[in-house]
Amino acid sequence: IRIFMPNIKLPDGSIRDYESNVSVAEVALDIGEGLARAALAGKIDQKLVDLDYVISDDKNLSIITSKDPEGIEIIRNSTNYLLAVAVKEIFPEAQIGLGLLIEDGFYYDFSYKRPFTPEDIELIEKKMHELSKNNSPIIKKLLSKKQAISLFNAIGESYKVKIIESDSDKENLSLYGLNKFIDLSKGPLISSTGKL
């Protein structure tokens, strides 16, 4: 019986053999501590994946850092996510809508009883800095569409339920959690807030 050991081919053509399944983060650390600190995600056969993605068979892998074009997108997507966390921590009654990347940044839709003021924006920015200094892990969960709808109904996020019901053709959805906050994201996102 052959026990399968993944061979990971890196962009420089070198191949790393592993005795068992290995995460993207573990490969980055195997290459070097500096790369592991800088790593934001992985690219496996042209698909972006989170650092905790587990490789179980032979793959081509690139480690994505902030120096890569995809790295900038991951940072923006993750910062946008952090924005939503900050808003919900300061204004728990705010409903979260869509968060999207645009050409030179990002935006998030919120529904709140009043418009946000410049003072609110300052509070939100301060909370985002605080969250990034905490270096808290951002945890990914895969849920079925039905489970995601049930979850967002339970926490009172009616806009999110409508978005899932109307836009999502997928049966499994990626959700990311930080502290008590959870939201949809196509990902990948950074593994911890300290990388922002």
Side-chain angles (χ1 to χ4, degrees):
I1 297 173
R2 179 177 180 246
I3 297 173
F4 196 85
M5 297 183 290
N7 296 321
I8 311 296
K9 186 175 182 181
L10 301 173
D12 65 359
S14 65
I15 295 175
R16 294 192 176 242
D17 302 323
Y18 294 92
E19 293 183 7
S20 61
N21 296 349
V22 62
S23 72
V24 172
E26 289 168 331
V27 175
L29 184 59
D30 188 35
I31 294 168
E33 287 185 17
L35 181 62
R37 282 192 300 274
L40 301 173
K43 193 176 193 179
I44 295 180
D45 299 332
Q46 303 307 308
K47 181 187 174 195
L48 289 172
V49 297
D50 294 284
L51 287 175
D52 65 358
Y53 181 90
V54 175
I55 304 166
S56 57
D57 54 5
D58 296 353
K59 296 288 182 192
N60 295 313
L61 171 67
S62 302
I63 304 296
I64 303 298
T65 71
S66 61
K67 294 178 182 175
D68 299 295
E70 300 97 334
I72 301 300
E73 189 173 303
I74 291 164
I75 289 170
R76 284 182 179 163
N77 203 20
S78 302
T79 305
N80 198 21
Y81 177 86
L82 202 64
L83 167 66
V85 176
V87 167
K88 286 295 286 186
E89 288 199 6
I90 299 168
F91 307 102
E93 324 83 51
Q95 290 273 306
I96 50 174
L98 276 176
L100 295 173
L101 299 183
I102 53 178
E103 187 178 339
D104 55 357
F106 54 83
Y107 76 90
Y108 224 113
D109 286 329
F110 298 97
S111 176
Y112 191 53
K113 60 190 175 185
R114 60 169 175 77
F116 290 144
T117 65
E119 292 76 21
D120 293 336
I121 302 301
E122 281 183 34
L123 280 175
I124 293 165
E125 286 180 8
K126 187 178 175 186
K127 177 58 78 172
M128 289 175 72
H129 286 293
E130 187 183 298
L131 289 165
S132 68
K133 284 181 185 170
N134 289 344
N135 196 22
S136 300
I138 297 174
I139 309 297
K140 181 180 180 179
K141 294 181 180 184
L142 285 175
L143 294 182
S144 70
K145 187 174 177 178
K146 186 177 178 181
Q147 288 171 319
I149 288 170
S150 177
L151 171 71
F152 286 113
N153 268 325
I155 61 175
E157 291 290 350
S158 56
Y159 286 115
K160 200 56 70 171
V161 171
K162 288 177 187 172
I163 290 166
I164 296 169
E165 288 174 339
S166 63
D167 288 346
S168 182
D169 295 329
K170 293 181 188 175
E171 275 312 304
N172 291 311
L173 303 172
S174 297
L175 284 80
Y176 290 83
L178 173 63
N179 299 339
K180 295 177 182 177
F181 179 79
I182 193 159
D183 196 11
L184 294 169
S185 178
K186 67 174 185 169
L189 295 183
I190 56 165
S191 57
S192 68
T193 59
K195 290 200 175 216
L196 286 176

